[in-house]
Short mmCIF file of all heavy atoms in Angstrom, two decimals:
data_model
loop_
_atom_site.label_atom_id
_atom_site.label_comp_id
_atom_site.label_asym_id
_atom_site.label_seq_id
_atom_site.Cartn_x
_atom_site.Cartn_y
_atom_site.Cartn_z
N ILE A 1 0.89 -1.22 0.03
CA ILE A 1 0.00 0.01 0.04
C ILE A 1 0.86 1.21 -0.03
O ILE A 1 2.04 1.19 0.32
CB ILE A 1 -0.92 0.04 1.10
CG1 ILE A 1 -0.19 -0.04 2.58
CG2 ILE A 1 -1.96 -1.13 1.10
CD1 ILE A 1 -1.12 0.12 3.73
N ASP A 2 0.34 2.37 -0.43
CA ASP A 2 1.03 3.60 -0.39
C ASP A 2 1.33 4.05 1.05
O ASP A 2 0.54 3.66 2.00
CB ASP A 2 -0.08 4.58 -0.91
CG ASP A 2 0.63 6.02 -1.19
OD1 ASP A 2 1.36 6.35 -2.09
OD2 ASP A 2 0.32 6.89 -0.15
N GLU A 3 2.34 4.78 1.22
CA GLU A 3 2.81 5.26 2.58
C GLU A 3 1.76 6.00 3.30
O GLU A 3 1.53 5.88 4.55
CB GLU A 3 4.11 6.06 2.49
CG GLU A 3 5.25 5.35 1.91
CD GLU A 3 6.01 4.54 2.89
OE1 GLU A 3 5.82 4.76 4.10
OE2 GLU A 3 6.90 3.74 2.52
N ASN A 4 0.99 6.85 2.63
CA ASN A 4 -0.12 7.69 3.27
C ASN A 4 -1.21 6.71 3.86
O ASN A 4 -1.70 6.96 4.99
CB ASN A 4 -0.76 8.66 2.29
CG ASN A 4 0.29 9.69 1.92
OD1 ASN A 4 1.15 10.06 2.69
ND2 ASN A 4 0.05 10.31 0.79
N ILE A 5 -1.50 5.69 3.05
CA ILE A 5 -2.63 4.68 3.55
C ILE A 5 -1.98 3.96 4.71
O ILE A 5 -2.70 3.60 5.67
CB ILE A 5 -3.05 3.83 2.45
CG1 ILE A 5 -3.81 4.73 1.37
CG2 ILE A 5 -3.98 2.76 2.98
CD1 ILE A 5 -4.20 3.97 0.15
N ALA A 6 -0.65 3.63 4.67
CA ALA A 6 -0.08 2.86 5.74
C ALA A 6 -0.20 3.74 7.06
O ALA A 6 -0.46 3.21 8.12
CB ALA A 6 1.39 2.66 5.44
N ASP A 7 -0.02 5.00 6.89
CA ASP A 7 -0.21 5.91 8.16
C ASP A 7 -1.56 5.86 8.66
O ASP A 7 -1.97 5.81 9.93
CB ASP A 7 0.11 7.35 7.76
CG ASP A 7 1.68 7.52 7.58
OD1 ASP A 7 2.48 6.67 7.97
OD2 ASP A 7 2.00 8.54 6.96
N ASP A 8 -2.63 5.83 7.75
CA ASP A 8 -4.01 5.79 8.11
C ASP A 8 -4.34 4.40 8.85
O ASP A 8 -5.10 4.42 9.84
CB ASP A 8 -4.91 5.78 6.97
CG ASP A 8 -4.89 7.28 6.29
OD1 ASP A 8 -4.43 8.20 6.98
OD2 ASP A 8 -5.29 7.36 5.13
N VAL A 9 -3.68 3.31 8.30
CA VAL A 9 -3.86 1.97 8.89
C VAL A 9 -3.22 1.96 10.30
O VAL A 9 -3.95 1.53 11.25
CB VAL A 9 -3.12 0.85 8.09
CG1 VAL A 9 -3.17 -0.40 8.87
CG2 VAL A 9 -3.97 0.68 6.78
N ALA A 10 -2.12 2.53 10.44
CA ALA A 10 -1.36 2.62 11.81
C ALA A 10 -2.34 3.41 12.82
O ALA A 10 -2.45 2.99 13.89
CB ALA A 10 -0.10 3.15 11.63
N MET A 11 -2.81 4.60 12.34
CA MET A 11 -3.65 5.32 13.27
C MET A 11 -5.05 4.63 13.60
O MET A 11 -5.50 4.60 14.76
CB MET A 11 -3.91 6.69 12.56
CG MET A 11 -2.77 7.58 12.67
SD MET A 11 -2.83 9.32 12.06
CE MET A 11 -4.54 9.44 11.56
N ALA A 12 -5.55 3.89 12.68
CA ALA A 12 -6.84 3.15 12.88
C ALA A 12 -6.60 2.04 13.86
O ALA A 12 -7.41 1.83 14.79
CB ALA A 12 -7.45 2.55 11.53
N LEU A 13 -5.44 1.36 13.79
CA LEU A 13 -5.10 0.21 14.69
C LEU A 13 -4.88 0.93 16.14
O LEU A 13 -5.35 0.19 17.16
CB LEU A 13 -3.94 -0.45 14.35
CG LEU A 13 -4.05 -1.25 13.05
CD1 LEU A 13 -2.68 -1.80 12.63
CD2 LEU A 13 -5.01 -2.40 13.12
N GLU A 14 -4.53 2.14 16.27
CA GLU A 14 -4.36 2.72 17.60
C GLU A 14 -5.62 2.82 18.39
O GLU A 14 -5.63 2.78 19.53
CB GLU A 14 -3.73 4.12 17.54
CG GLU A 14 -2.25 4.19 17.18
CD GLU A 14 -1.64 5.63 17.06
OE1 GLU A 14 -2.50 6.48 17.56
OE2 GLU A 14 -0.62 5.72 16.58
N GLY A 15 -6.78 2.90 17.70
CA GLY A 15 -8.01 3.01 18.31
C GLY A 15 -8.65 1.75 18.86
O GLY A 15 -9.72 1.73 19.40
N ILE A 16 -7.96 0.61 18.65
CA ILE A 16 -8.45 -0.66 19.03
C ILE A 16 -8.39 -0.77 20.58
O ILE A 16 -7.32 -0.66 21.11
CB ILE A 16 -7.70 -1.82 18.44
CG1 ILE A 16 -8.18 -1.82 16.92
CG2 ILE A 16 -8.10 -3.17 19.03
CD1 ILE A 16 -7.43 -2.91 16.13
N ASP A 17 -9.50 -1.15 21.17
CA ASP A 17 -9.64 -1.42 22.62
C ASP A 17 -10.02 -2.90 22.77
O ASP A 17 -11.13 -3.19 22.59
CB ASP A 17 -10.58 -0.47 23.23
CG ASP A 17 -10.78 -0.70 24.77
OD1 ASP A 17 -9.82 -1.16 25.36
OD2 ASP A 17 -11.84 -0.39 25.28
N ALA A 18 -9.09 -3.72 23.06
CA ALA A 18 -9.35 -5.06 23.10
C ALA A 18 -8.50 -5.65 24.24
O ALA A 18 -7.51 -5.14 24.63
CB ALA A 18 -9.14 -5.87 21.91
N GLY A 19 -8.99 -6.80 24.87
CA GLY A 19 -8.28 -7.43 25.92
C GLY A 19 -7.16 -8.43 25.31
O GLY A 19 -7.19 -8.72 24.20
N SER A 20 -6.31 -8.80 26.18
CA SER A 20 -5.30 -9.85 25.81
C SER A 20 -6.00 -11.02 25.35
O SER A 20 -7.11 -11.29 25.65
CB SER A 20 -4.38 -10.14 26.92
OG SER A 20 -5.09 -10.69 28.04
N ALA A 21 -5.26 -11.78 24.49
CA ALA A 21 -5.88 -13.00 23.84
C ALA A 21 -5.01 -14.25 24.37
O ALA A 21 -3.79 -14.20 24.22
CB ALA A 21 -5.88 -12.88 22.44
N GLU A 22 -5.83 -15.21 24.85
CA GLU A 22 -5.11 -16.47 25.21
C GLU A 22 -4.84 -17.25 23.91
O GLU A 22 -5.66 -17.48 23.11
CB GLU A 22 -6.05 -17.25 26.13
CG GLU A 22 -5.41 -18.57 26.59
CD GLU A 22 -6.31 -19.27 27.54
OE1 GLU A 22 -7.42 -18.97 27.75
OE2 GLU A 22 -5.84 -20.42 27.98
N ILE A 23 -3.66 -17.65 23.59
CA ILE A 23 -3.16 -18.31 22.48
C ILE A 23 -2.87 -19.83 22.90
O ILE A 23 -1.94 -20.02 23.77
CB ILE A 23 -1.88 -17.57 21.88
CG1 ILE A 23 -2.18 -16.20 21.43
CG2 ILE A 23 -1.58 -18.43 20.60
CD1 ILE A 23 -3.40 -16.03 20.63
N ALA A 24 -3.47 -20.66 22.23
CA ALA A 24 -3.28 -22.06 22.41
C ALA A 24 -3.18 -22.81 21.10
O ALA A 24 -3.88 -22.45 20.16
CB ALA A 24 -4.41 -22.80 23.28
N PHE A 25 -2.17 -23.76 20.96
CA PHE A 25 -1.91 -24.36 19.76
C PHE A 25 -2.70 -25.68 19.68
O PHE A 25 -2.80 -26.32 20.73
CB PHE A 25 -0.55 -24.59 19.52
CG PHE A 25 0.30 -23.31 19.37
CD1 PHE A 25 0.96 -22.82 20.45
CD2 PHE A 25 0.28 -22.71 18.14
CE1 PHE A 25 1.65 -21.50 20.30
CE2 PHE A 25 1.01 -21.52 18.01
CZ PHE A 25 1.67 -20.95 19.04
N ASP A 26 -3.29 -26.12 18.57
CA ASP A 26 -4.04 -27.26 18.27
C ASP A 26 -3.43 -28.26 17.37
O ASP A 26 -3.98 -28.83 16.48
CB ASP A 26 -5.43 -26.94 17.79
CG ASP A 26 -6.43 -26.66 18.92
OD1 ASP A 26 -6.14 -27.09 19.98
OD2 ASP A 26 -7.45 -25.99 18.61
N GLY A 27 -2.06 -28.48 17.47
CA GLY A 27 -1.47 -29.40 16.69
C GLY A 27 -0.99 -28.88 15.27
O GLY A 27 -1.05 -27.67 15.03
N LEU A 28 -0.47 -29.80 14.34
CA LEU A 28 0.09 -29.46 13.12
C LEU A 28 -0.94 -29.86 12.06
O LEU A 28 -1.65 -30.73 12.14
CB LEU A 28 1.47 -30.05 12.89
CG LEU A 28 2.46 -29.71 14.00
CD1 LEU A 28 3.82 -30.47 13.56
CD2 LEU A 28 2.67 -28.29 14.08
N SER A 29 -0.80 -29.11 10.94
CA SER A 29 -1.56 -29.34 9.71
C SER A 29 -0.71 -28.83 8.58
O SER A 29 0.39 -28.43 8.75
CB SER A 29 -2.85 -28.84 9.80
OG SER A 29 -3.69 -29.16 8.67
N TRP A 30 -1.37 -28.96 7.40
CA TRP A 30 -0.77 -28.35 6.14
C TRP A 30 -1.79 -27.57 5.38
O TRP A 30 -2.89 -28.02 5.37
CB TRP A 30 0.06 -29.28 5.34
CG TRP A 30 -0.67 -30.51 4.94
CD1 TRP A 30 -0.75 -31.68 5.50
CD2 TRP A 30 -1.43 -30.67 3.62
NE1 TRP A 30 -1.51 -32.55 4.72
CE2 TRP A 30 -1.84 -31.96 3.60
CE3 TRP A 30 -1.67 -29.79 2.61
CZ2 TRP A 30 -2.62 -32.48 2.58
CZ3 TRP A 30 -2.27 -30.34 1.52
CH2 TRP A 30 -2.94 -31.61 1.47
N PHE A 31 -1.39 -26.59 4.62
CA PHE A 31 -2.24 -25.84 3.74
C PHE A 31 -1.79 -26.22 2.29
O PHE A 31 -0.70 -26.58 2.02
CB PHE A 31 -2.13 -24.34 3.93
CG PHE A 31 -2.78 -23.82 5.11
CD1 PHE A 31 -2.49 -22.49 5.59
CD2 PHE A 31 -3.57 -24.48 5.93
CE1 PHE A 31 -3.14 -22.02 6.78
CE2 PHE A 31 -4.22 -24.00 7.09
CZ PHE A 31 -3.88 -22.72 7.47
N GLY A 32 -2.78 -25.96 1.48
CA GLY A 32 -2.42 -26.21 -0.11
C GLY A 32 -3.64 -26.84 -0.74
O GLY A 32 -4.82 -26.75 -0.11
N THR A 33 -3.41 -27.41 -1.91
CA THR A 33 -4.50 -28.08 -2.40
C THR A 33 -4.50 -29.51 -2.06
O THR A 33 -3.52 -29.94 -1.40
CB THR A 33 -4.38 -28.02 -4.11
OG1 THR A 33 -3.16 -28.68 -4.40
CG2 THR A 33 -4.24 -26.51 -4.53
N ARG A 34 -5.40 -30.23 -2.51
CA ARG A 34 -5.60 -31.72 -2.08
C ARG A 34 -4.30 -32.49 -2.53
O ARG A 34 -3.88 -33.47 -1.95
CB ARG A 34 -6.79 -32.37 -2.67
CG ARG A 34 -8.04 -32.01 -2.04
CD ARG A 34 -9.20 -32.66 -2.64
NE ARG A 34 -10.45 -32.12 -2.19
CZ ARG A 34 -11.60 -32.79 -2.34
NH1 ARG A 34 -11.68 -33.96 -2.83
NH2 ARG A 34 -12.69 -32.26 -1.85
N SER A 35 -3.75 -32.11 -3.65
CA SER A 35 -2.59 -32.80 -4.24
C SER A 35 -1.30 -32.17 -4.01
O SER A 35 -0.28 -32.80 -4.30
CB SER A 35 -2.83 -33.13 -5.72
OG SER A 35 -2.94 -31.81 -6.41
N ARG A 36 -1.31 -30.91 -3.51
CA ARG A 36 0.05 -30.20 -3.44
C ARG A 36 0.11 -29.29 -2.14
O ARG A 36 -0.46 -28.21 -2.31
CB ARG A 36 0.17 -29.25 -4.69
CG ARG A 36 1.53 -28.51 -4.55
CD ARG A 36 1.88 -27.85 -5.86
NE ARG A 36 2.38 -28.88 -6.77
CZ ARG A 36 2.50 -28.76 -7.99
NH1 ARG A 36 2.27 -27.56 -8.57
NH2 ARG A 36 3.09 -29.67 -8.73
#
C-alpha cells in the first residue's frame, strides 16, 4: 500500500480497545490443494 494509507492503517489500529488474547496451539496441519 501507499505510505499515506499505511499511516491511516497505523492510526486506525491505535483506536483498538481489546483485551489480551489467550493463544493455544491445536497441533500441526498443512495448507495447499488436495494434491500439493
Side-chain angles (χ1 to χ4, degrees):
I1 59 174
D2 183 83
E3 298 275 347
N4 292 334
I5 296 172
D7 291 340
D8 292 343
V9 169
M11 286 186 359
L13 292 172
E14 282 180 17
I16 291 178
D17 179 24
S20 62
E22 183 181 2
I23 303 301
F25 294 99
D26 272 340
L28 301 181
S29 187
W30 55 269
F31 287 168
T33 66
R34 287 183 190 199
S35 61
R36 179 169 283 165

